[in-house]
Amino acid sequence: MASAQVCPETPFRKKLEHAGQPGVQDKGGKRNGSDTRTATLLIIALLSVLGLLALILYARMHAFVALVLMSLVVAIVTGVPLANVVPTLLDGFGKTLASVGLLVGFGAMIGRLLEVSGGAQVLADRLVGLFGEKRAPMALGVASLLFGIPIFFDAGLVVMLPVIFVVARRFGGSLLLYALPAAGAFAIMHAFVPPHPGPVAAGTLLGADIGLLVFVGMVLAIPTWYISAYLFGSYIGRRVNVSIPLLDAPEQSTVAPPKLSTVLFILLLPLVLIFLNTGLSTLQKAGAIEGGGVVFDFLLMIGQTPIALLITVLAAIFIFAVGRSLGEIEELCNNALGPVCAIILVTGAGGMFGGVLRASGIGDALAGSLSDLGLPIIVAAFVLSLGLRVAQGSATVALTTTAGLIAPTVAAATDLSQLDLCFIVIAIASGATALSHVNDSGFWLVGRFLGMDEKTTLKTWTVMETLIGFVGFGFAFAGSLIF
């Protein structure tokens, strides 16, 4: 844990640094930069965010187009030389997309193969059997936590819904008792844990170690889920009765479902490989083992997140090809990429927006202003992300935009360890999860599938999402103070 530049006069250890930031007084009491320039840049930053929201919400412009357009406008208005505008845009877009595209693409393929193979059903059935009837909601939640590692929120929820309905009909009671723990699990994993696009993008923009972020995200996701989804689901499920909607029976596959051990192998393989890389790197830096050598470098390479996911995709293809033609497997992988293309492009455009903010000097101006206010970075990150989430609804856009805004500030701070960066990512993810309402597609997805009206969805789903955001931030903030 780095200790340099810690401010002893404040209870917050991760405060923004004053040195070298615009608008901060030097020893002679004079400003290092122009107050007018700083104010102008901050106004441009505010207007750019408001303009971005206006384009998405009112002009109904796609987030990808809006982010690229606003990045171009900000670059020109802030005085980036015209010859450097396009290279600046492409640099931010390319650096983000280089890692995010691989992770999201491979993650989508893994999730699709598990979905079609019946792996989710196998996992849920076995967990219900292990936990017992009285703990069926916990079994569904744990299954969703595991299945939510590689699969996105909406796809995972749709896959689990038939299982949730079967369990709810079998044991009785409000549908919320069974649905909220599962839906909350998918929402938390989607926001907290790579290879999901939001945490990957935020981690990439802030320079966090993705392997360590996987570990921290999962450690914080479990208690956050237990408090915000499982306990709240049990509470609200006994007070709000939601009946089970009638759905057509799911189409039966002609291929036998995989064994539980096979499903767990596919889910845990990338995590084991990534943790191998993180563990070896940590031991090397601590001097416990010597680095170098072909074997050591090979183990580090296969533990890099893109390679770990590539290996997992190949393993899933090999395993699930049994009983299916290679053409069918290829079609499954191809279909998995279509729904995530927009997410990948929006994520890359968020990186472009952040790159422009860094090149224009807005990031330095924001760092100086936050330093004057005395806000810790982690608090500022949560507040910014929460504001964007409330305003435009998309958790991914809130995550990527906030990470782009806060990245220069993080880079300017000299006392942030890799753990600190991971806690900041979780704080951003928490803010991007809270207060889901009518401008969030997840709000309508959950409400429609569970047969709830808007009022019921607000007092159940929205409250749970808000609990997830604030509880998750509480754990991240506490971690930043302790470690």
Side-chain angles (χ1 to χ4, degrees):
M1 184 78 178
S3 59
Q5 303 292 336
V6 176
C7 302
E9 71 279 7
T10 175
F12 304 113
R13 297 177 59 195
K14 308 304 177 290
K15 230 180 145 181
L16 300 185
E17 296 301 323
H18 288 273
Q21 298 301 329
V24 180
Q25 289 184 343
D26 59 19
K27 294 180 180 179
K30 295 181 179 179
R31 296 286 178 174
N32 290 330
S34 168
D35 288 338
T36 302
R37 172 67 175 169
T38 298
T40 301
L41 288 174
L42 291 177
I43 291 172
I44 292 174
L46 176 62
L47 293 177
S48 68
V49 173
L50 293 177
L52 181 63
L53 296 177
L55 289 175
I56 296 173
L57 292 177
Y58 300 110
R60 309 304 298 174
M61 184 178 291
H62 193 281
F64 171 64
V65 179
L67 282 165
V68 175
L69 177 60
M70 193 54 61
S71 298
L72 175 62
V73 172
V74 171
I76 295 174
V77 172
T78 55
V80 175
L82 294 179
N84 296 335
V85 168
V86 173
T88 300
L89 299 180
L90 296 180
D91 183 64
F93 183 78
K95 286 182 178 179
T96 304
L97 213 59
S99 58
V100 173
L102 291 174
L103 269 60
V104 174
F106 288 147
M109 287 183 179
I110 295 168
R112 180 63 175 168
L113 289 169
L114 283 172
E115 172 191 342
V116 173
S117 69
Q121 179 75 49
V122 170
L123 186 61
D125 288 346
R126 183 60 63 89
L127 284 172
V128 169
L130 290 174
F131 281 81
E133 294 184 6
K134 293 183 178 180
R135 295 186 177 179
M138 178 175 284
L140 291 171
V142 172
S144 299
L145 284 171
L146 292 173
F147 196 54
I149 294 172
I151 196 170
F152 297 150
F153 164 76
D154 50 357
L157 181 61
V158 171
V159 170
M160 285 297 294
L161 275 175
V163 182
I164 294 170
F165 292 154
V166 168
V167 173
R169 290 192 184 99
R170 178 179 175 184
F171 301 124
S174 174
L175 179 60
L176 296 177
L177 285 169
Y178 310 94
L180 288 185
F186 282 117
I188 292 170
M189 299 303 285
H190 188 80
F192 283 23
V193 181
H196 294 285
V200 168
T204 301
L205 290 170
L206 298 185
D209 181 272
I210 298 298
L212 183 60
L213 180 58
V214 170
F215 176 76
V216 172
M218 292 189 68
V219 168
L220 297 186
I222 293 172
T224 300
W225 167 80
Y226 183 78
I227 295 172
S228 307
Y230 177 70
L231 291 183
F232 175 73
S234 299
Y235 169 82
I236 200 68
R238 289 177 171 84
R239 287 159 177 79
V240 178
N241 182 45
V242 175
S243 59
I244 304 168
L246 298 176
L247 293 178
D248 295 333
E251 182 180 350
Q252 298 296 322
S253 173
T254 57
V255 180
K259 296 180 180 179
L260 176 65
S261 58
T262 302
V263 177
L264 292 177
F265 172 75
I266 294 298
L267 290 173
L268 296 178
L269 178 59
L271 301 183
V272 171
L273 293 174
I274 291 170
F275 290 162
L276 175 66
N277 174 281
T278 302
L280 290 175
S281 300
T282 301
L283 291 174
Q284 181 186 18
K285 291 177 182 178
I289 60 175
E290 291 186 8
V294 176
V295 175
F296 184 85
D297 290 342
F298 176 77
L299 292 177
L300 288 181
M301 181 193 71
I302 64 174
Q304 294 286 336
T305 308
I307 304 301
L309 288 175
L310 172 61
I311 293 172
T312 305
V313 168
L314 295 175
I317 290 174
F318 176 79
I319 291 171
F320 297 132
V322 177
R324 295 180 176 86
S325 68
L326 293 179
E328 290 176 319
I329 295 295
E330 190 275 337
E331 184 179 0
L332 288 176
C333 293
N334 184 65
N335 292 340
L337 295 178
V340 302
C341 285
I343 295 175
I344 293 174
L345 290 175
V346 168
T347 303
M352 175 191 296
F353 187 58
V356 169
L357 294 175
R358 288 189 293 272
S360 66
I362 287 177
D364 290 336
L366 179 64
S369 298
L370 290 177
S371 179
D372 289 340
L373 292 174
L375 279 178
I377 294 176
I378 193 169
V379 176
F382 174 74
V383 172
L384 285 171
S385 182
L386 180 62
L388 287 169
R389 163 67 159 177
V390 172
Q392 53 80 42
S394 171
T396 300
V397 171
L399 268 161
T400 54
T401 304
T402 301
L405 284 167
I406 209 73
T409 304
V410 170
T414 60
D415 67 331
L416 297 177
S417 69
Q418 279 294 329
L419 265 178
D420 295 326
L421 296 180
C422 292
F423 288 135
I424 292 172
V425 171
I426 299 301
I428 295 173
S430 298
T433 302
L435 295 172
S436 168
H437 60 97
V438 293
N439 63 359
D440 176 24
S441 60
F443 175 91
W444 297 105
L445 181 73
V446 171
R448 186 175 296 112
F449 272 119
L450 299 186
M452 298 188 294
D453 58 25
E454 288 79 4
K455 182 178 179 180
T456 305
T457 309
L458 282 169
K459 66 181 182 181
T460 56
W461 167 255
T462 300
V463 173
M464 184 187 72
E465 285 279 87
T466 304
L467 283 174
I468 290 172
F470 281 87
V471 171
F473 169 70
F475 283 124
F477 184 68
S480 73
L481 296 177
I482 296 171
F483 297 101

